[in-house]
Each structure stands twice: as structure tokens, then as C-alpha cells.
């Protein structure tokens, strides 16, 4: 019954599980358009900002181990000249987007992510610290803790904190402490000029549906704390199961992560924010957490509905509207 909500022209993958039973396993379109190599259920797709959820789990793991605290500040944790940025911004304020730290990609005023690379070549962005020049000289957006505003820099700084506390590259820490524990064998932070097998190329329209270009000049050469992980839809289902099953965090900390911490819920579909996840108010039922990502040529969303124990994952490497699919299936 769910297949009817997936448009015939959808290009990407969809995967739905309920009570460990697979209800939908759908793949369509090409991972390599020019060579007509099809997407499959095991294709590795870019997921844009969805990777923030992995960084959040990594930070919460360090908090549970006593190596970090919600109240620790960026001034204590990262020894650099923060210039006009408030050094008393806390880890928790970074997690729930209330820090006010200048956002290198402020989605409230910038339309296209590729605008960033007009003066700063994207091929130079391969580590979190590489993004420092894009925000370090800017003023605070608002006083820390005074309001919610989605912020990409906040999660870059969280990844920098993770690296300084653990002494490891953030993506290696996430692999060992999240991906490996959940059996997420196709997930990782891959460099665009060193992609492994079965990775989908992402496409944007130029003048028509038959006139496409890739997004290689539109996004970071390698993902950072703000996003950029490659995933498979099955891996994301395994992530939800690992998170809810105690493989990654204690039940108390996982529940805390998936609780409302910021946002006003004015947009009921967008909802509130937890730590690394959005929260749709369940009203008479349990709340529904989800995470999502959007870059040029990349669209991703995944939610977990605790009311029916259903995991859903949708991703497109052509920028197709995965939110409409998720919305229709959630409602029906």
C-alpha cells in the first residue's frame, strides 16, 4: 500500500520497516546517469545535513563517559582565537541550535549552498577546521541561548570538539563508535574525488530533465560535522534500531536526545528540535523524531514513528521531493 505514494518518476531509494518487517524496498533512477548504472537498495547516497545526527550521538556518548559535559564551553574546549564569537557558548547550545554562533551557511538569507564556493574553492574543504575562515571573522548572530535558529557552524564546532577530546578524526570516531556498532557497512565520509564503489552521483537540472550536471562544484570535497555522510537506506534503518536498542546510548540519554529542547513548533510539520534530530509533536500520541538533509542534487529524510514502530528512509540523488513522500506515507 505504501508503494502508491512513491511517484513513478522518483529517482533514488525508499525503505520502510515496521516491527522488523520490510514493507517497502524501492530503488529507481541511475546512480550514474551517463553510463545508465541503476540505483539499487545498496547504493551509497549522499545525505547532506542528515549527518548531524551522527555527530550528536558521538557528543552524547562522550558526555555519558564523563569526558564532556553539556555545560562545557567552546572557549574551554578549543584553544583558538574566537575573535568576536562568545567563548561561553556551551555544548548544549551547539546541540540544540541556540548558540548564536555565526553560521557559515545561513539558510535564512542564502538560497544555494554552492554560493559559498565563489571565493573559497570547495575542493579545499576536507576537514572541519577548513571551514573556520568562512565564519571566524563574523559577529554573533544573536546572544547565546536567546533563541533557536538552525545553524551549520554549530555542528562543525561540535565535530571539532569531538576531535580534540578523542584525538581522532571525527569520521573515524563515528565509524568505530556508531557505524560499526550498528552494522552500517556502507556509511562513511568519502571524498568526492576518491569515491568508493556503488556511490551515487548527484545531479542538478540545467535547462531540462535531460540536461543535467553533477554537484561536484557545489558541496564540500569531504563531509564535515555539518553533514556530508554517504549512507545506504538499510544502514539508516540499522542506525535507528541501534539507537533505540541501546547499542549507542543509554535509554535515558537516547530519550533525552529525542526530546524537545528548542524551537517553537510554529510549523507543525517541521516541529521542534532535540539533539541532532527534529521532533514532530505527536499531540495525542508519541512524538515522531526525524532527521533530514538537502544539498544541490541531494534530498534525504528519515523518521521513526514510535506509535507503530515504523522506520522510514527516503533519499534522492536528483533532488526529488522526498518530503512529499514522507508526508503522505506518515499521514496515511
Amino acid at each position: 500500500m505504501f508503494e502508491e505514494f512513491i511517484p513513478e518518476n522518483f529517482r533514488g531509494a525508499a525503505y520502510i520497516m515496521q516491527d522488523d518487517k520490510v514493507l517497502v524496498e524501492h530503488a529507481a533512477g541511475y546512480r550514474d546517469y551517463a553510463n545508465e548504472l541503476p540505483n539499487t537498495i545498496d547504493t551509497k547516497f549522499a545525505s547532506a545535513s542528515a549527518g548531524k545526527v551522527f555527530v550528536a550521538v558521538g557528543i552524547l556518548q562522550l558526555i555519558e563517559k564523563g569526558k564532556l559535559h553539556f555545560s562545557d564551553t567552546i572557549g574551554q574546549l578549543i584553544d583558538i582565537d574566537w575573535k568576536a564569537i562568545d567563548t561561553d557558548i556551551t555544548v548544549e547550545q551547539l546541540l540544540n541550535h541556540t548558540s548564536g554562533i555565526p553560521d557559515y551557511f545561513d539558510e535564512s538569507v542564502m538560497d544555494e549552498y554552492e554560493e559559498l564556493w565563489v571565493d573559497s574553492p570547495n575542493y579545499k574543504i576536507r576537514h572541519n577546521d577548513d571551514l573556520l575562515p568562512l565564519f571566524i571573522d563574523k559577529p554573533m548572530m544573536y546572544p547565546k541561548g536567546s533563541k533557536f535558529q538552525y545553524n551549520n557552524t554549530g555542528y562543525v564546532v561540535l565535530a571539532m570538539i569531538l576531535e580534540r577530546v578523542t584525538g581522532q578524526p571525527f569520521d573515524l570516531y563515528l565509524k568505530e563508535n556508531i557505524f560499526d556498532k550498528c552494522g552500517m557497512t556502507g556509511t562513511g565520509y568519502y571524498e568526492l574525488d576518491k569515491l568508493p564503489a556503488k556511490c551515487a552521483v548527484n545531479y542538478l537540472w540545467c535547462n531540462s530533465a535531460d540536461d543535467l550536471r553533477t554537484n561536484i562544484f557545489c558541496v564540500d570535497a569531504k563531509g564535515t560535522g555539518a553533514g556530508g555522510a554517504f549512507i545506504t537506506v538499510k544502514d539508516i534503518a540499522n542506525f535507528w534500531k541501534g539507537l533505540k536498542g541501546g547499542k549507542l546510548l543509554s535509554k535515558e540519554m537516547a530519550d533525552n536526545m529525542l526530546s524537545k529542547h528548542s524551537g517553537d513548533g510554529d510549523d507543525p510539520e517541521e516541529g521542534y528540535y532535540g539533539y541532532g534530530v527534529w521532533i514532530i509533536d505527536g499531540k495525542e500520541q508519541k512524538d515522531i523524531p526525524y532527521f533530514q538533509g538537502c544539498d544541490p542534487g541531494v534530498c534525504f529524510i528519515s523518521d521513526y514513528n514510535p506509535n507503530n514502530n515504523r522506520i522510514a528512509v527516503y533519499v534522492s540523488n536528483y533532488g526529488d521531493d522526498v518530503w512529499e513522500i514522507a508526508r503522505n506515507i506518515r499521514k496515511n
Side-chain angles (χ1 to χ4, degrees), residues 30-49:
Y30 295 118
R31 62 179 172 87
D32 182 333
Y33 181 79
N35 293 296
E36 298 186 354
L37 300 178
N39 284 322
T40 70
I41 208 67
D42 297 315
T43 294
K44 301 178 179 77
F45 292 95
S47 64
S49 292

Side-chain angles (χ1 to χ4, degrees), residues 17-23 308-311:
M17 294 186 69
Q18 186 165 323
D19 295 326
D20 289 329
K21 179 181 179 182
V22 177
L23 304 180
N308 52 25
N309 196 32
R310 190 165 71 206
I311 296 167

